[in-house]
Amino acid sequence: MKKKKSILMVSHPLGGGTDKNVRELISSFLEHPNDINFDFYLATLTTSGIHLKKVKSDFCSEDFFFPNSFSISSQNIFNFRSPIDQFLHILRLFSIDLVHFHHFLFSANIIQFLPHLEVPYIVTIHDYFALCPTINLINTNGNFCHACDPQKDMSIEYQSCMKRIKIPPDSLFKHREVFSEFLGKANAVILPNSSLKEYFQKIFKSISHYIVIEHGTKLKESISDRTFSERVTIGNYKKERNNLNVLLLGNLTHHKGLEIIKEVCSSSFAKSHIHFDLLGTSYNRIPNVRYLGSYESEEALELISKKEYDVSLQLSVTAESFSYTISELILSRVPIICFNLGAQAERVKRLKAGWLISEVNANAVLEKLIYLFENQEEIRKVKNSMLINKITSLEKMRQEYEVIYSKAMRKKIHLIEFSNTIKNLILIEAKANFSYWKQNKIFNRETNSRVFINMGKFIYRMIKNCLFAWNNRK
């Protein structure tokens, strides 16, 4: 039987859209065990170390933890202090054939070191961290900066942005230099929406190997289920009402347009003619809004379908890289109002799913809501014209990634392998570290002492085994 190739997915521990995409991508491969020639490992980078899962069917896993804090002896035997040391051990221990980066938070010097190894890797971009450590390109005025280029436009605005996140102003240039090399040497740079190209090509002019692959969405239960489709089609949409039912969907923060939404909801027109529901959470309380609570993405379509919503406000003030909420709303045939920024605007326009607002302010949004209240037939037309069947499925996403994986792994990796004895001992210790971390949930001084003791025992056992092997040599 042909040996399966091993793919290491690298992500952050913060959940959200990045985590959702990683899990759905792996799951889409695991659903075809007889056709797929890959084994998947998921590395989550944290400040204390690297959590590693060997992912199996139904996302069950074998768990390991590699702390960054080992210091065994004055001779630095098995000194695992830096993330890159741990990362290289993982590549060797699990015979990784390809690394797939999904985020760089807590990656420290890994991304600086990896381009110099003969390890093929690809990168999926989920936000703008590679362009700027502010992540979402929101400047100190609360506006989207369109990826400023201080060397070209002579702007000093970036200095305030760097000070806000407490790093030296000139760090922006070093940051971009590092990512220019890292992305430039990747086998492929995946963008979830074509709108990101504008900003990445603006800053990284020498990089051209971008590939657009939209995040897949589970379509089977929503589109093919005739009962569901009939509930949301135009035939059941009521004519001319005295109010609009407006859905706010997702977790609302500043960059999701929270301040603008509060201003819209507080207006006299909204209080008289609009019923607002929030399915999600908000950083601050929003007036004139009924809170329905948070939700799991698997529940979204069912929860949205319980009420006849006219439109949804998706008012991100940054250029989103994808937006799963847009997919959920389109599948539910809820028209969308959003600003003309990023993936939200590109998808709403391409899928004929709503209206784009050019000016990023509350008055422009209110004008559109008043227009739709007075012309409710426009809502009916959009509900009927949405191109639901153009949404990318999980299967299509999987097929596109499979091609990229296979192509990237044609490059041979040259890494020194551990002997089976040492490999098994290290794995045993990594499992023990995970069990201890799971009980304590934090790596503090006491935990480090425990790890120190465990590794001392590990070194003792390794030396003992080596002496046994030497004494019993032929």
Side-chain angles (χ1 to χ4, degrees), residues 179-318:
F179 276 98
S180 179
E181 180 181 24
F182 180 72
L183 296 179
K185 292 186 177 181
N187 289 67
V189 179
I190 314 299
L191 306 176
N193 187 267
S194 59
S195 63
L196 277 76
K197 269 190 180 181
E198 173 187 349
Y199 309 111
F200 277 80
Q201 289 179 335
K202 176 182 178 181
I203 303 302
F204 303 132
K205 297 177 177 62
S206 62
I207 299 176
S208 59
H209 52 291
Y210 298 108
I211 301 172
V212 176
I213 300 179
E214 281 205 345
H215 296 338
T217 302
K218 190 174 182 179
L219 304 178
K220 183 178 179 181
E221 294 180 2
S222 55
I223 290 181
S224 63
D225 185 341
R226 184 171 178 78
T227 302
F228 176 83
S229 296
E230 287 175 347
R231 286 207 305 272
V232 296
T233 51
I234 194 69
N236 292 330
Y237 184 72
K238 296 177 182 178
K239 296 182 179 181
E240 299 301 324
R241 293 186 297 193
N242 295 324
N243 58 69
L244 292 179
N245 289 328
V246 176
L247 175 64
L248 305 173
L249 183 66
N251 299 318
L252 304 182
T253 58
H254 168 70
H255 75 276
K256 296 290 185 180
L258 177 60
E259 281 72 22
I260 292 176
I261 290 172
K262 288 169 70 175
E263 192 174 342
V264 170
C265 295
S266 301
S267 68
S268 57
F269 174 80
K271 290 178 180 178
S272 303
H273 300 291
I274 301 178
H275 294 161
F276 290 98
D277 284 349
L278 171 58
L279 186 55
T281 62
S282 65
Y283 186 74
N284 293 317
R285 190 77 184 180
I286 308 172
N288 195 32
V289 171
R290 183 176 66 149
Y291 280 69
L292 303 179
S294 58
Y295 69 99
E296 298 294 331
S297 58
E298 295 80 8
E299 307 173 300
L301 299 183
E302 181 181 352
L303 292 172
I304 295 171
S305 69
K306 289 183 177 180
K307 185 171 180 178
E308 196 175 274
Y309 290 106
D310 299 296
V311 294
S312 176
L313 299 183
Q314 293 294 304
L315 302 179
S316 290
V317 296
T318 185

Side-chain angles (χ1 to χ4, degrees), residues 308-376:
E308 196 175 274
Y309 290 106
D310 299 296
V311 294
S312 176
L313 299 183
Q314 293 294 304
L315 302 179
S316 290
V317 296
T318 185
E320 298 276 1
S321 62
F322 181 69
S323 181
Y324 278 105
T325 55
I326 295 294
S327 299
E328 292 161 354
L329 290 165
I330 293 174
L331 289 173
S332 303
R333 286 193 185 273
V334 177
I336 299 154
I337 296 175
C338 70
F339 295 123
N340 192 15
L341 289 171
Q344 286 193 335
E346 192 281 332
R347 299 184 71 212
V348 167
K349 181 179 180 180
R350 174 165 49 88
L351 300 174
K352 298 182 179 181
W355 303 270
L356 307 183
I357 307 294
S358 297
E359 297 180 39
V360 183
N361 60 59
N363 287 336
V365 176
L366 273 170
E367 286 179 10
K368 180 59 68 176
L369 287 171
I370 292 170
Y371 171 80
L372 293 175
F373 174 74
E374 295 173 348
N375 299 271
Q376 294 184 26

Side-chain angles (χ1 to χ4, degrees), residues 21-39:
N21 177 244
V22 171
R23 289 177 174 275
E24 289 187 341
L25 179 57
I26 295 175
S27 295
S28 67
F29 278 97
L30 296 179
E31 288 176 0
H32 300 79
N34 297 326
D35 302 327
I36 303 305
N37 197 34
F38 306 133
D39 281 328

Side-chain angles (χ1 to χ4, degrees), residues 81-241:
R81 283 189 180 278
S82 73
I84 187 61
D85 290 332
Q86 294 290 48
F87 200 75
L88 287 173
H89 273 76
I90 289 171
L91 295 181
R92 295 182 181 117
L93 282 170
F94 299 95
S95 302
I96 300 300
D97 297 291
L98 175 71
V99 181
H100 185 176
F101 277 90
H102 286 266
H103 212 278
F104 317 104
L105 199 61
F106 309 126
S107 60
N109 59 348
I110 291 175
I111 62 172
Q112 292 177 268
F113 198 81
L114 197 62
H116 303 287
L117 298 177
E118 294 188 38
V119 181
Y121 64 93
I122 68 172
V123 179
T124 293
I125 299 295
H126 291 274
D127 55 34
Y128 298 101
F129 182 72
L131 299 181
C132 178
T134 59
I135 300 178
N136 52 31
L137 300 184
I138 299 292
N139 61 24
T140 50
N141 296 320
N143 300 320
F144 181 62
C145 75
H146 296 269
C148 69
D149 188 355
Q151 295 171 327
K152 183 178 180 180
D153 56 30
M154 304 302 291
S155 169
I156 61 171
E157 181 183 291
Y158 76 95
Q159 296 182 4
S160 299
C161 295
M162 297 302 103
K163 288 178 181 177
R164 183 184 63 185
I165 57 177
K166 300 179 180 179
I167 63 176
D170 289 343
S171 296
L172 175 64
F173 303 107
K174 176 61 177 177
H175 182 91
R176 288 178 173 177
E177 182 183 321
V178 168
F179 276 98
S180 179
E181 180 181 24
F182 180 72
L183 296 179
K185 292 186 177 181
N187 289 67
V189 179
I190 314 299
L191 306 176
N193 187 267
S194 59
S195 63
L196 277 76
K197 269 190 180 181
E198 173 187 349
Y199 309 111
F200 277 80
Q201 289 179 335
K202 176 182 178 181
I203 303 302
F204 303 132
K205 297 177 177 62
S206 62
I207 299 176
S208 59
H209 52 291
Y210 298 108
I211 301 172
V212 176
I213 300 179
E214 281 205 345
H215 296 338
T217 302
K218 190 174 182 179
L219 304 178
K220 183 178 179 181
E221 294 180 2
S222 55
I223 290 181
S224 63
D225 185 341
R226 184 171 178 78
T227 302
F228 176 83
S229 296
E230 287 175 347
R231 286 207 305 272
V232 296
T233 51
I234 194 69
N236 292 330
Y237 184 72
K238 296 177 182 178
K239 296 182 179 181
E240 299 301 324
R241 293 186 297 193

